[in-house]
Amino acid sequence: MARASSVAKQTGKTGEARKGERYREMSVAEFFARNRELAGFSNPTRALYQTVRELVENALDATDTHGILPFIQVSITYDEELEAKHGNAKKWFRVTVEDNGIGVPPTVIANAFGRVLFSSKYVIRQTRGMYGLGVKAAVLYGQMTAGKPVEVYSSIGNSEYVYSRKLYIDTEKNEPRIVERGQWRKRSGWHGTRVTITLEGDWSRAKSRILEYIKRTAIIAPYAEIVFETPEGQVFVFPRLTNKMPPPPKEAKPHPHGIDVNQMKLLLQSTNARTLLQVLVTEFQSVGKITAEKFLKQVGIPPDIKPRDLLRKEYNDLLVRLVDSMKSYRGFRAPKSEHLSPIGEDLIKLGLKRMFEPEWVDAVTRPPRAYAGHSFIVEVGIAYGGALEPVQEPLLLRYANKIPLLYEEREDVAYKVVSNINWKIYRVEFPAPIAVLVHIASTKIPYKGVGKESISDVPEIESEIRTAVQEVARRLRLFLGRKAREAEARRKIITIAKYIPEIARGLAMLAKPPEKWSPPSEDEERRLMEALIKLVSRNIEIPEIPGVDHEDPEKVVRSVIENIHLE
Amino acid sequence: MARASSVAKQTGKTGEARKGERYREMSVAEFFARNRELAGFSNPTRALYQTVRELVENALDATDTHGILPFIQVSITYDEELEAKHGNAKKWFRVTVEDNGIGVPPTVIANAFGRVLFSSKYVIRQTRGMYGLGVKAAVLYGQMTAGKPVEVYSSIGNSEYVYSRKLYIDTEKNEPRIVERGQWRKRSGWHGTRVTITLEGDWSRAKSRILEYIKRTAIIAPYAEIVFETPEGQVFVFPRLTNKMPPPPKEAKPHPHGIDVNQMKLLLQSTNARTLLQVLVTEFQSVGKITAEKFLKQVGIPPDIKPRDLLRKEYNDLLVRLVDSMKSYRGFRAPKSEHLSPIGEDLIKLGLKRMFEPEWVDAVTRPPRAYAGHSFIVEVGIAYGGALEPVQEPLLLRYANKIPLLYEEREDVAYKVVSNINWKIYRVEFPAPIAVLVHIASTKIPYKGVGKESISDVPEIESEIRTAVQEVARRLRLFLGRKAREAEARRKIITIAKYIPEIARGLAMLAKPPEKWSPPSEDEERRLMEALIKLVSRNIEIPEIPGVDHEDPEKVVRSVIENIHLE
C-alpha cells in the first residue's frame, strides 16, 4: 500500500517480514479518525449528538468548574453553503456552542482543538472531560465528512483581545494545521469560548436525544442558563433556577492506593523531595509524616533512600514492592473529597421537580468513598407521581460528573443496581410512576469506553449506589405507606361524611318532641351540620406526609359534603 | 503538579490560563496506561483473561492468516520470584504464549511490543487484531502491576537465528526501552514467537472465562492445536481435528464507499497515479475504467485533474464533493470478499458437534455484503439437543474475525437479533436445548470499544445476522417438525405394538374351529406374531430427519414388544 510506505519513509520505523508483513506506526489522531465509533461517532445521528455533547461539556467545564455561573448557547443550523454545493438533502450542519467561561489562551487554542491527547484535564480533579479526546474526535469527524475546519473564538478574562483560529487536524502528524487566524480588541467584557464544527449529521433522528440531553443537563445544573436553537429556528430556553452553585472542585495529589509502578516512576523523576519519606508526605494526599514512617518501617524500606536511586535498575524489585505495599496498606487516611463537586440534595430535588412536577421527591448525597485510590461520591434522587407516567421499571436518569448518560443503559452499573432492587419492599408496585436519578462524581469515572456512555461495575461504586437507592427508597416507602393510609382515611371520611346532611336533618327533627315534629328550618339544619362536621373532623386523622401539603380534615369533610349528592 | 510541568518543559506545548488551567500533551501509551479499563484491563480477573486473549489472537494471526496450521501453547504459571518477595497470596502470574507462526523480524520486535499504535494490522485484510493496541495494553498492565518487562523470543522462517528482547514501554515517550537482548543460532527449524508477560491477576475468578475462551477458540479453529497449562499444572489439549483450513485472507484496496475526505487526502499524497481517473481505477477496488469515467462525468469533475492539485486549498470543496459522491454512487461493484476468511459451514458444524454432541446441527455462510465500503460475511450455526442444557433463551456463541466474544453480550448486535427472533415460529419452545453461533468476518469489525467485546448495531450487519439465523432456524423447524411426528409415530407404535402378543395369541386360537380351541403352540404364536409385526411395521412411517440415523420401524416395534410387559 502506497500509504504505508510513505509513512515508513518519514518515520523510519517499519520493517519487512517474510510474506510481506508490513509494520507501521499510526498517530493517535489517525487511530481515532479510523475508529471513530470508539469515541461515539458511529453514524450521522450519533455523531451529531456526540458533537453537541462534547462541546456542551467543555463549555460547562470552563464555567462551573471555575466558579462561573454558566450561560451556554447552543445552536444547530443547516450549512447552506454545503447544501447548495452538493444539492443534497438536509444533512450538513454547523454546531456552535458559546460559553462565558475562562477562555482558552491564544497560544493554546490550536493544540487544544487540533491535537489529540492534549488537554488541561489531566489533573486529579472532577471534570466532565477526562480523556483530552472528545472535542478532537468531533473535529476529526467534521473534517472527514464535511471537509471544513473547526472555528474557534476565545478570550480569557483579563485579556483585551478576542482571538480566532480556523484549523484542521493533521491526522498523520497529530498536530493542528491553522488555515486562518484573527485578533480583535474586545468591545465588551465578554470572556469565554465559541466553537463551531461543521459535519454530516441526521437531525431528524438525533433531535429527540439531543433535546433529552440538554434537558437532563439543565436538571442537574439548575444554576446554568442554557439556550438551544434548532435548525428549524425553534428556541428552547432553560432559565437559571438558582444562583446557588456547588463549590468548584479543587485539584488533588494522588492517593497512595491509586498509584501504580509507572506513575510512581514519573513522580520520582519529577519530585523535588530529597528522600522517599518526603516523597510520601509531600507528593501524596492523606499521608502524614508519622503514618509514612510507620508504613516504611513495616515494609522494611529505608525512609532516607533518594527518589532518583529508586529508579535504578537494581532497585526495581524494591520499587514494585513499595508500590504494591502502598496500594494495600490500610493505615492511610481515606482519599479527600474536596476535589469532588457533588450536586447536592437540594439541587437534585429542584431538578427533578422541574422535570416531573412529582407528587413526592427526595434525594441523598452519600459521604465520599474511594476505589483504587480514586475518591467518589454517589448521589441518588427519586421522584414519584406527578407528570411521571406509570412504567414497568423505574425511569433511570444516569449522570457521571454531571454529564447525563443516554446510551448503553443496560451495560451501566446503575442499571444493574436499580433493576435488581426488590421494589415491592418499598411498596412500589409496577407499573409505577417512578424515576431514579443516580449521579457519580469522581476524579476518575471508570467508563467502559471513550464515548463515555456507561460505567463499569466497580464493586465499591456498585455497593454505594445500592445503599443510596435503598436509603431514598425507604423514605419513599414511608410516603407510600402514609399515602395508603391517607387513602384509607379519605375512604372513611367519605363513608361517614356523605351521611352527615341526612343525619343532621334527622337530628334536627328528633331534637323536638314528637308532636312538634316538622321539617327543621334551614338554620337549625345548618347549625347541626356544623356541629357534626366538627365532631367527625376531630375524630379523623389524615397522616402527615413530608413534602406534601398536609390537608385539614375539616376541609376534606366539607368538600365531600359539597360534592357528594346522595341519591 | 510537578509532573505536568516537567512534561511541559520537554515538549514546550503548554500554556497557562487564568485560574491555573494547565495544558499538557499525553502520549498514547500513557493514555492507555491511565485508562486501562478501556482496553479491557479493569481489574485483576479481567486483566488475566484479556492478556491471554491478546496473546492467543496474535498467535493465531501469525499462523492461519499466513496459511500455517496453528500450534499454540498457552501457559499460566505463578511467578515464584514475586510471590517470594512480596509474601503475598497467589496473585502474580506469568502468561506465556508460543506459536509456530511467521515470527517478528528482529528489527521490529521492540516496536511491535513496545510502541502503542505500531502494527502490521493497518491494512485492509481480515485479522483478529485491528488496533495495534491489545498486546501493548497487556505489556503496560504487566509493567504497572508487576514491574517486570515483557519477554519476547522470535524467529522468522528463513532466519538462522532466534532473537530475544526484554523490554518496558516508556509511557512518557511511547517507545520501547530494551533491558536485555539475545541471539542464538537455531537448532531446529522452529519459527514463530514466544511471549511472556508477568502481571497481577486473579486466577480463581478468571479460570472459567479463560477456559471458555480457549474452548470456543478451538471450536471455531478446529484446524489448530491448542495446549493450555494452568497454574495448578493441569494440561488441556485441544487436538487438531482437521487439516482443512480456510484460505488465508488477502490484502485489499479501499472500496470507494468506505473512503472519507481524510483518507482520500492521504491517498492523493502518496499515489503514483497521474490523473484522478487513474487514482480511481488503480487505488480502489471494484472500480473499472468505464465506471470511473461514467462516475466522474455524472458528478461533473474533470477526469484528468492531477491528484496533487486536488489537495490545494481552492479545490477543497471539490474534494469534499468528490468523496461525498463516491460514498453514495450506486454504480460501483460491491466490495470484494477475497480478503475475508469465513470459517465455512463444515467447520462450524464440526466445532459445534465437538462442543455439544448435539442431536441436530446446521450452519450457513451468507454471501459477502458491505457496510460503508467494508465488506463482511455473516455465518450462523445452530445446535439442538445432545449435551445442551434446556435454557430460557438460546445460548449465544459470538465470534468476530474468529475471536470468541464473552463479555458485554447484551450490548451486542447478535444478542439484539437472536433475542428478538420469535422462536415459536420455528417450533422452539423454551426452555429448549439450543445454541446459536454467530460469526462476523470483516476487514473492519465495528467494535464498541478497544477491548473488542461487543459489536455495534450497524443496520447492514444486523439485517444479515437476522437473515442467516432465520435461514438455519427454518431447517431446525423441519427437524423439530419431523421429530414431533416421529414422537407421534412412536406413540402409535407403542399403542399398537404392546397388544401384538395378546392379539397373536388370540388369533392363533381363532384360526382353529371352536372345538379345537386350545392354547396355541409357541411356534404358532411366534409365526403369527411375526406376521403381525411385519403388518404393523409396513403401515407405520417414522419420518426421516436429515443428520439423524433413520430408524427401521420394524426394529422399533420389536424393541417395544420386548420391553413392554402388559400387566
Side-chain angles (χ1 to χ4, degrees):
Chain A
M1 197 169 72
R3 184 172 162 207
S5 54
S6 86
V7 175
K9 262 175 255 158
Q10 285 170 26
T11 62
K13 284 178 212 122
T14 56
E16 195 81 12
R18 199 172 63 103
K19 307 201 191 186
E21 277 289 88
R22 275 190 307 277
Y23 289 84
R24 74 171 182 102
E25 187 171 11
M26 191 182 262
S27 88
V28 65
E30 193 185 342
F31 179 77
F32 282 108
R34 278 192 164 214
N35 302 296
R36 55 203 196 193
E37 65 279 2
L38 296 176
F41 292 82
S42 41
N43 56 53
T45 308
R46 192 77 192 270
L48 191 56
Y49 162 80
Q50 197 75 22
T51 300
V52 170
R53 250 195 84 165
E54 298 292 355
L55 291 176
V56 168
E57 283 158 23
N58 269 17
L60 286 164
D61 272 346
T63 46
D64 70 358
T65 307
H66 297 271
I68 300 168
L69 283 168
F71 174 47
I72 316 276
Q73 293 165 277
V74 183
S75 89
I76 303 180
T77 57
Y78 292 111
D79 186 304
E80 288 172 8
E81 197 193 341
L82 285 173
E83 298 290 343
K85 266 184 191 135
H86 299 292
N88 238 321
K90 304 275 181 198
K91 62 176 219 180
W92 306 101
F93 297 91
R94 286 169 63 80
V95 176
T96 301
V97 175
E98 178 176 330
D99 65 53
N100 59 336
I102 56 164
V104 183
T107 52
V108 178
I109 295 176
N111 281 322
F113 290 88
R115 191 188 289 273
V116 179
L117 304 191
F118 179 93
S119 176
S120 62
K121 310 282 170 73
Y122 299 147
V123 292
I124 301 179
R125 187 174 58 184
Q126 176 191 329
T127 47
R128 294 172 182 80
M130 261 180 63
Y131 297 123
L133 182 65
V135 168
K136 276 80 102 180
V139 172
L140 280 170
Y141 183 84
Q143 75 183 43
M144 280 156 69
T145 55
K148 286 200 176 183
V150 57
E151 302 164 32
V152 185
Y153 297 82
S154 193
S155 181
I156 59 176
N158 54 7
S159 164
E160 287 175 35
Y161 293 92
V162 175
Y163 297 88
S164 78
R165 300 283 183 272
K166 291 190 186 179
L167 59 93
Y168 292 98
I169 296 177
D170 181 331
T171 49
E172 217 173 310
K173 302 193 183 109
N174 185 28
E175 60 182 41
R177 187 162 59 78
I178 299 172
V179 290
E180 204 181 298
R181 55 180 92 211
Q183 179 178 345
W184 298 270
R185 192 172 275 278
K186 273 201 253 190
R187 283 183 213 155
S188 67
W190 178 72
H191 55 83
T193 306
R194 176 191 166 95
V195 185
T196 302
I197 291 174
T198 313
L199 74 158
E200 183 186 340
D202 184 336
W203 167 247
S204 66
R205 290 191 182 183
K207 182 177 181 176
S208 62
R209 290 269 188 175
I210 290 173
L211 274 170
E212 185 68 19
Y213 170 80
I214 292 179
K215 210 164 89 184
R216 290 206 191 172
T217 301
I219 289 180
I220 206 126
Y223 49 80
E225 173 154 356
I226 304 177
V227 179
F228 174 43
E229 192 188 342
T230 71
E232 298 91 7
Q234 260 187 300
V235 177
F236 295 86
V237 179
F238 297 85
R240 181 170 295 139
L241 294 190
T242 171
N243 285 327
K244 203 182 126 192
M245 199 162 52
K250 289 181 191 148
E251 192 181 324
K253 293 174 187 170
H255 188 277
H257 288 172
I259 198 86
D260 57 52
V261 172
N262 204 41
Q263 282 176 293
M264 188 66 180
K265 281 184 184 171
L266 288 171
L267 207 145
L268 291 171
Q269 274 165 31
S270 63
T271 184
N272 294 320
R274 292 168 175 230
T275 65
L276 177 57
L277 184 69
Q278 275 183 28
V279 170
L280 290 179
V281 175
T282 61
E283 301 284 355
F284 288 90
Q285 56 160 290
S286 311
V287 185
K289 189 154 174 274
I290 294 166
T291 311
E293 281 169 344
K294 215 166 123 189
F295 163 71
L296 288 174
K297 197 172 170 193
Q298 186 178 314
V299 294
I301 295 176
D304 54 355
I305 193 167
K306 290 203 180 92
R308 298 292 186 290
D309 285 351
L310 269 168
L311 292 168
R312 279 155 52 191
K313 205 187 148 192
E314 60 267 37
Y315 281 112
N316 192 52
D317 287 336
L318 189 77
L319 184 65
V320 174
R321 190 151 60 84
L322 172 69
V323 171
D324 195 41
S325 309
M326 280 168 73
K327 283 199 293 191
S328 58
Y329 186 70
R330 294 290 128 209
F332 302 121
R333 289 191 302 277
K336 291 179 186 174
S337 59
E338 62 191 29
H339 40 278
L340 293 183
S341 173
I343 304 159
E345 299 170 0
D346 290 347
L347 288 188
I348 292 178
K349 287 195 269 187
L350 192 65
L352 287 171
K353 273 183 192 156
R354 166 150 84 169
M355 196 174 193
F356 304 116
E357 291 165 4
E359 207 179 326
W360 181 89
V361 66
D362 211 341
V364 67
T365 296
R366 296 275 310 158
R369 293 277 183 271
Y371 79 95
H374 311 293
S375 53
F376 70 94
I377 288 177
V378 165
E379 305 183 279
V380 164
I382 297 182
Y384 190 95
L388 281 158
E389 300 280 322
V391 277
Q392 284 302 337
E393 55 178 7
L395 172 65
L396 179 61
L397 308 167
R398 295 175 295 134
Y399 291 88
N401 283 0
K402 302 180 186 167
I403 302 176
L405 308 180
L406 298 187
Y407 284 91
E408 292 172 26
E409 176 178 283
R410 279 163 186 256
E411 283 302 313
D412 195 281
V413 60
Y415 178 79
K416 185 178 167 190
V417 172
V418 170
S419 63
N420 281 325
I421 295 265
N422 181 359
W423 287 97
K424 274 194 184 163
I425 296 178
Y426 305 104
R427 292 179 174 268
V428 179
E429 301 271 357
F430 290 100
I434 182 173
V436 178
L437 180 153
V438 177
H439 178 232
I440 301 161
S442 177
T443 47
K444 172 97 164 65
I445 301 280
Y447 288 114
K448 288 195 167 175
V450 290
K452 297 190 288 193
E453 282 295 355
S454 62
I455 297 172
S456 308
D457 41 357
V458 173
E460 292 89 339
I461 293 180
E462 190 175 330
S463 139
E464 270 298 294
I465 297 176
R466 186 170 301 108
T467 309
V469 172
Q470 287 169 340
E471 192 173 330
V472 187
R474 274 195 296 273
R475 297 184 209 157
L476 174 62
R477 188 177 181 280
L478 285 182
F479 163 75
L480 293 175
R482 286 185 184 124
K483 200 173 133 91
R485 288 200 296 282
E486 185 200 47
E488 186 54 38
R490 273 184 166 277
R491 248 195 314 278
K492 269 194 207 154
I493 290 174
I494 290 168
T495 314
I496 299 170
K498 63 185 179 181
Y499 292 103
I500 287 181
E502 196 68 17
I503 295 171
R505 202 168 299 128
L507 280 174
M509 281 166 69
L510 287 168
K512 303 176 194 167
E515 63 275 16
K516 293 202 173 164
W517 282 0
S518 68
S521 71
E522 272 190 25
D523 202 49
E524 278 172 323
E525 203 180 308
R526 200 182 321 114
R527 261 186 296 124
L528 270 163
M529 197 150 94
E530 284 300 316
L532 276 169
I533 288 173
K534 293 243 180 319
L535 187 76
V536 168
S537 303
R538 262 206 309 282
N539 285 296
I540 280 170
E541 199 186 329
I542 297 180
E544 264 188 71
I545 306 180
V548 174
D549 288 340
H550 186 242
E551 277 183 297
D552 177 16
E554 198 179 309
K555 241 167 93 188
V556 177
V557 172
R558 278 185 203 284
S559 92
V560 170
I561 292 172
E562 270 163 39
N563 290 301
I564 291 191
H565 304 276
L566 291 174
E567 56 282 1
Chain B
M1 199 168 71
R3 183 170 164 210
S5 54
S6 87
V7 175
K9 263 175 252 156
Q10 284 169 26
T11 62
K13 284 178 213 120
T14 54
E16 195 82 13
R18 198 171 66 105
K19 306 200 189 184
E21 277 289 88
R22 275 190 307 277
Y23 288 85
R24 76 171 181 103
E25 188 172 10
M26 190 181 264
S27 89
V28 64
E30 192 185 343
F31 179 76
F32 282 108
R34 279 191 163 214
N35 302 295
R36 54 203 197 193
E37 65 279 1
L38 296 176
F41 293 82
S42 41
N43 55 54
T45 308
R46 192 75 192 272
L48 191 56
Y49 162 80
Q50 197 76 21
T51 300
V52 170
R53 250 195 84 163
E54 298 291 357
L55 291 177
V56 168
E57 283 158 23
N58 269 17
L60 285 165
D61 272 346
T63 48
D64 71 357
T65 306
H66 297 272
I68 300 168
L69 283 168
F71 175 45
I72 316 276
Q73 293 166 276
V74 182
S75 90
I76 304 179
T77 57
Y78 292 111
D79 186 305
E80 287 171 7
E81 196 194 340
L82 284 173
E83 297 290 344
K85 267 188 188 131
H86 299 292
N88 237 319
K90 303 276 180 197
K91 64 177 219 179
W92 304 102
F93 297 91
R94 284 169 64 78
V95 176
T96 301
V97 175
E98 179 176 329
D99 64 55
N100 59 336
I102 56 163
V104 184
T107 52
V108 179
I109 295 177
N111 281 323
F113 290 88
R115 190 188 289 273
V116 179
L117 304 191
F118 179 93
S119 175
S120 63
K121 311 281 171 73
Y122 299 146
V123 292
I124 301 178
R125 187 175 57 185
Q126 177 191 328
T127 47
R128 295 172 181 79
M130 260 179 63
Y131 298 123
L133 182 64
V135 169
K136 276 79 105 180
V139 172
L140 281 170
Y141 183 83
Q143 75 182 43
M144 280 157 66
T145 55
K148 286 202 175 183
V150 57
E151 302 164 33
V152 185
Y153 296 82
S154 192
S155 181
I156 59 177
N158 54 5
S159 165
E160 286 174 37
Y161 293 92
V162 176
Y163 297 87
S164 78
R165 300 283 183 273
K166 292 190 185 179
L167 59 93
Y168 292 97
I169 296 177
D170 181 330
T171 49
E172 218 173 310
K173 301 193 184 110
N174 185 27
E175 60 181 40
R177 188 162 59 78
I178 299 171
V179 291
E180 204 180 298
R181 56 180 91 212
Q183 178 177 347
W184 298 270
R185 194 171 276 276
K186 272 201 254 189
R187 283 182 215 157
S188 67
W190 179 73
H191 55 84
T193 307
R194 178 191 164 94
V195 185
T196 302
I197 291 173
T198 312
L199 74 158
E200 183 186 341
D202 184 337
W203 167 246
S204 65
R205 289 191 183 184
K207 184 177 180 177
S208 62
R209 290 270 188 174
I210 290 173
L211 274 170
E212 184 69 17
Y213 171 79
I214 291 179
K215 210 163 90 183
R216 290 205 190 174
T217 300
I219 290 181
I220 207 129
Y223 50 80
E225 174 155 355
I226 304 177
V227 179
F228 174 45
E229 192 187 344
T230 71
E232 298 91 7
Q234 262 185 298
V235 178
F236 295 87
V237 179
F238 297 85
R240 181 171 295 139
L241 293 191
T242 171
N243 285 326
K244 203 184 126 193
M245 201 162 53
K250 290 182 189 145
E251 191 180 325
K253 293 172 184 170
H255 188 276
H257 287 171
I259 198 85
D260 57 52
V261 173
N262 206 41
Q263 283 175 293
M264 189 66 180
K265 281 183 183 170
L266 288 171
L267 207 146
L268 290 170
Q269 275 163 31
S270 64
T271 184
N272 294 320
R274 292 170 172 226
T275 64
L276 177 57
L277 183 70
Q278 275 183 28
V279 169
L280 290 180
V281 176
T282 60
E283 301 283 355
F284 288 90
Q285 56 161 290
S286 310
V287 185
K289 188 154 175 273
I290 294 166
T291 310
E293 281 169 345
K294 216 166 122 189
F295 163 72
L296 288 173
K297 197 173 169 189
Q298 186 179 313
V299 295
I301 296 176
D304 54 353
I305 192 166
K306 291 203 180 91
R308 297 292 186 290
D309 284 351
L310 269 168
L311 292 167
R312 279 154 55 190
K313 203 184 148 193
E314 59 266 38
Y315 282 111
N316 192 52
D317 287 336
L318 189 76
L319 183 66
V320 174
R321 189 152 61 85
L322 172 69
V323 171
D324 196 42
S325 308
M326 280 168 74
K327 284 199 293 192
S328 58
Y329 187 67
R330 294 289 128 210
F332 302 120
R333 289 191 304 275
K336 290 178 185 174
S337 59
E338 62 192 28
H339 40 280
L340 294 183
S341 173
I343 304 158
E345 298 170 1
D346 290 347
L347 289 187
I348 291 178
K349 287 195 269 185
L350 192 66
L352 287 171
K353 273 183 194 157
R354 166 150 85 171
M355 196 173 195
F356 304 116
E357 291 164 5
E359 207 178 325
W360 182 90
V361 66
D362 211 341
V364 66
T365 297
R366 296 275 309 160
R369 292 276 183 272
Y371 80 94
H374 311 293
S375 53
F376 71 93
I377 288 176
V378 165
E379 304 184 278
V380 165
I382 298 183
Y384 191 93
L388 280 158
E389 300 279 324
V391 278
Q392 283 303 338
E393 55 179 6
L395 173 64
L396 180 60
L397 308 167
R398 295 175 296 134
Y399 291 88
N401 283 358
K402 302 180 186 167
I403 303 176
L405 309 180
L406 299 186
Y407 284 90
E408 293 172 24
E409 176 177 284
R410 281 166 183 254
E411 281 302 314
D412 195 281
V413 60
Y415 178 80
K416 184 177 168 192
V417 172
V418 170
S419 64
N420 280 325
I421 295 264
N422 182 359
W423 288 97
K424 274 195 185 161
I425 295 179
Y426 304 104
R427 292 180 173 269
V428 179
E429 301 272 355
F430 291 99
I434 182 173
V436 179
L437 180 153
V438 178
H439 178 231
I440 300 161
S442 177
T443 46
K444 172 95 164 63
I445 302 280
Y447 289 114
K448 288 194 168 176
V450 290
K452 298 189 288 192
E453 282 295 356
S454 62
I455 297 173
S456 309
D457 42 356
V458 173
E460 291 89 341
I461 294 180
E462 189 176 330
S463 139
E464 270 298 294
I465 298 175
R466 186 170 301 110
T467 308
V469 172
Q470 287 170 339
E471 193 173 329
V472 188
R474 273 194 297 272
R475 297 184 209 157
L476 174 62
R477 187 176 182 281
L478 286 181
F479 163 75
L480 293 175
R482 289 188 183 120
K483 200 173 133 92
R485 287 200 297 281
E486 186 202 45
E488 186 54 36
R490 275 184 165 276
R491 248 195 314 278
K492 267 192 208 156
I493 290 175
I494 291 169
T495 315
I496 299 169
K498 63 184 179 182
Y499 292 105
I500 286 181
E502 197 65 18
I503 294 169
R505 202 168 297 127
L507 279 176
M509 283 165 69
L510 287 167
K512 301 175 194 168
E515 59 279 14
K516 294 200 176 167
W517 281 2
S518 69
S521 72
E522 273 192 25
D523 201 49
E524 278 173 322
E525 203 179 310
R526 202 183 317 118
R527 260 185 298 125
L528 270 163
M529 198 151 92
E530 283 300 315
L532 277 169
I533 288 173
K534 294 246 179 316
L535 187 78
V536 168
S537 302
R538 262 205 308 281
N539 285 297
I540 280 169
E541 199 188 330
I542 297 180
E544 266 188 69
I545 305 179
V548 174
D549 288 339
H550 186 241
E551 276 184 297
D552 177 17
E554 199 180 309
K555 242 167 92 188
V556 177
V557 173
R558 279 185 203 286
S559 91
V560 170
I561 292 173
E562 271 163 39
N563 290 302
I564 293 191
H565 304 278
L566 290 173
E567 57 283 359

